Amino acid sequence: MNDSSEGTQVMPFQTTAKALLSTLPCLLFLYVNLVMLYALLKTPLLLESSRYVLFGHLLFTESLQLFLSMFMYIFAVTMVTMINHVCIIIIMLASITLKMSPLNLAVMSLERYIAVCFPLRHADIATTRRTGIAIAVMWTVGSFDSFTQLFLFVSLENTSIPMQRFCYRNSVFRLQIYSTLNKAFTIVYFVLVSTIIIYTYIAIMITVKSASSNVRDASKAHKTVLLHLIQLCLCLTSSLFSTISDQSNIHPAMVVHVRYALFVGLIIFPKCLSPLIYGLRDNTFRYVFKNYFTFGCRTTIKPFPKG
């Protein structure tokens, strides 16, 4: 009796401790991302450049994905149930934002490719209007998978009766067709994005080695696209979370611990590092970010080229 009572006391403590240790880093980096986003919105000069508009979109989607992941993890740990209609909306939004990161990185790589390989046409091609159109296309492409699964869910299952259930993908989308579609779309997304980033990386690298009029800027863009490739690998680890955690050969007693380790390593860590590393590499934006992060009253930005 004493052993059983001690066990019931230890488990809630471990659950609370894990939830707290997972939430604190999320809250910290959410704050950092929001400060970065606020710094961009309060600096109109930066928003005139397509690269900073795309970076702001990356900050927004990464922050939203991090918030939704934290929200769903806390609900899973505390064993809270919700109506399946609400759960579907949350799962769809989380899935869409997860795919936004690699798509955003691909567009950012294309922007750097145009800036280096076609510098005279960059101002005409990479306008803020076309950047907005590119963002709209990204959301359309990224949501195609989720809306396809939603259409199948409405067609194949009874959705007239709201049901209380634990909110995670396999509890709602239980048929094998959903898993097959999700894997297929994930492969297509990452093959497409990888092709774009690798192509732009090679093209910029060739430009760097050739007789360029501005070798320094080309070399910097080359390193930026290489960073995009590393970020793509981080995004890929995030997408592997559900695949690894749902393996049937994991012992039931270890499922909670495995899911916790995967959540920290594959969800929190990549989402925290991607915007932070890219944002602080830029000299102009680093100055603006430090000013707002330290509650500075004024921000003076040195002139910088739009490319």
Side-chain angles (χ1 to χ4, degrees), residues 22-34 58-74 93-94 97-98 101 238 263-264 266-275:
S22 302
T23 304
L24 288 179
C26 289
L27 293 176
L28 173 62
F29 282 95
L30 275 175
Y31 170 71
V32 173
N33 287 358
L34 290 176
L58 178 66
L59 284 173
F60 172 75
T61 54
E62 292 280 2
S63 300
L64 184 57
Q65 168 66 21
L66 189 59
F67 173 78
L68 291 172
S69 300
M70 180 182 66
F71 178 79
M72 295 179 66
Y73 178 78
I74 292 175
L93 188 57
T97 54
L98 182 64
S101 296
S238 299
F263 175 73
V264 175
L266 300 185
I267 298 294
I268 294 181
F269 185 71
K271 296 302 176 186
C272 292
L273 287 184
S274 294

Side-chain angles (χ1 to χ4, degrees), residues 13 30 51 56 58 65 70-71 75-76 106 139 161 170 172 199 281 292 297-298:
F13 173 76
L30 275 175
R51 64 179 299 190
L58 178 66
Q65 168 66 21
M70 180 182 66
F71 178 79
F75 271 65
W139 279 93
I161 303 176
N170 289 347
V172 178
Y199 171 78
R281 284 184 68 250
Y292 282 101
C297 297
R298 291 180 177 272

Side-chain angles (χ1 to χ4, degrees), residues 33-306:
N33 287 358
L34 290 176
V35 172
M36 286 186 175
L37 191 58
Y38 179 79
L40 282 174
L41 295 177
K42 295 294 289 185
T43 313
L45 184 60
L46 293 179
L47 295 179
E48 295 178 2
S49 174
S50 59
R51 64 179 299 190
Y52 290 107
V53 174
L54 291 171
F55 175 60
H57 181 254
L58 178 66
L59 284 173
F60 172 75
T61 54
E62 292 280 2
S63 300
L64 184 57
Q65 168 66 21
L66 189 59
F67 173 78
L68 291 172
S69 300
M70 180 182 66
F71 178 79
M72 295 179 66
Y73 178 78
I74 292 175
F75 271 65
V77 168
T78 55
M79 305 296 287
V80 175
T81 60
M82 65 178 64
I83 300 175
N84 56 353
H85 296 83
V86 178
C87 181
I88 289 174
I89 295 175
I90 296 175
I91 290 176
M92 286 184 57
L93 188 57
S95 178
I96 293 172
T97 54
L98 182 64
K99 293 179 177 64
M100 280 297 102
S101 296
L103 292 174
N104 204 114
L105 293 176
V107 176
M108 293 174 77
S109 297
L110 286 174
E111 187 274 333
R112 288 293 84 197
Y113 164 75
I114 296 172
V116 173
C117 299
F118 306 97
L120 298 180
R121 300 181 57 191
H122 178 261
D124 297 328
I125 298 176
T127 62
T128 54
R129 180 177 177 274
R130 290 185 176 179
T131 304
I133 296 175
I135 291 175
V137 171
M138 280 189 281
W139 279 93
T140 302
V141 174
S143 60
F144 185 74
D145 174 22
S146 298
F147 281 103
T148 301
Q149 295 188 46
L150 178 63
F151 174 77
L152 291 176
F153 180 82
V154 174
S155 303
L156 300 177
E157 302 191 25
N158 183 14
T159 59
S160 59
I161 303 176
M163 297 178 60
Q164 292 282 346
R165 63 181 68 196
F166 299 114
C167 187
Y168 61 97
R169 172 175 287 276
N170 289 347
S171 69
V172 178
F173 301 104
R174 293 170 293 180
L175 300 179
Q176 181 62 33
I177 188 173
Y178 301 129
S179 177
T180 303
L181 281 175
N182 185 55
K183 292 178 182 179
F185 276 106
T186 301
I187 292 173
V188 171
Y189 283 135
F190 277 95
V191 168
L192 175 63
V193 172
S194 300
T195 302
I196 293 174
I197 294 181
I198 292 174
Y199 171 78
T200 55
Y201 176 80
I202 295 175
I204 293 176
M205 185 173 60
I206 294 175
T207 303
V208 171
K209 292 183 178 181
S210 64
S212 176
S213 59
N214 198 338
V215 179
R216 183 175 178 273
D217 289 346
S219 178
K220 185 177 179 180
H222 164 262
K223 294 177 181 178
T224 298
V225 177
L226 178 60
L227 179 60
H228 290 173
L229 191 60
I230 297 174
Q231 287 176 289
L232 178 64
C233 296
L234 295 177
C235 294
L236 178 60
T237 61
S238 299
S239 67
L240 293 176
F241 174 76
S242 59
T243 303
I244 298 176
S245 62
D246 292 334
Q247 294 298 315
S248 58
N249 57 353
I250 300 177
H251 193 275
M254 296 295 296
V255 170
V256 176
H257 303 289
V258 172
R259 282 182 176 273
Y260 171 74
L262 293 176
F263 175 73
V264 175
L266 300 185
I267 298 294
I268 294 181
F269 185 71
K271 296 302 176 186
C272 292
L273 287 184
S274 294
L276 188 63
I277 293 176
Y278 184 82
L280 296 184
R281 284 184 68 250
D282 189 274
N283 294 329
T284 302
F285 182 76
R286 182 170 64 245
Y287 176 83
V288 177
F289 169 71
K290 287 181 178 179
N291 184 275
Y292 282 101
F293 191 77
T294 55
F295 303 99
C297 297
R298 291 180 177 272
T299 301
T300 303
I301 303 176
K302 299 178 181 180
F304 63 99
K306 293 184 179 182

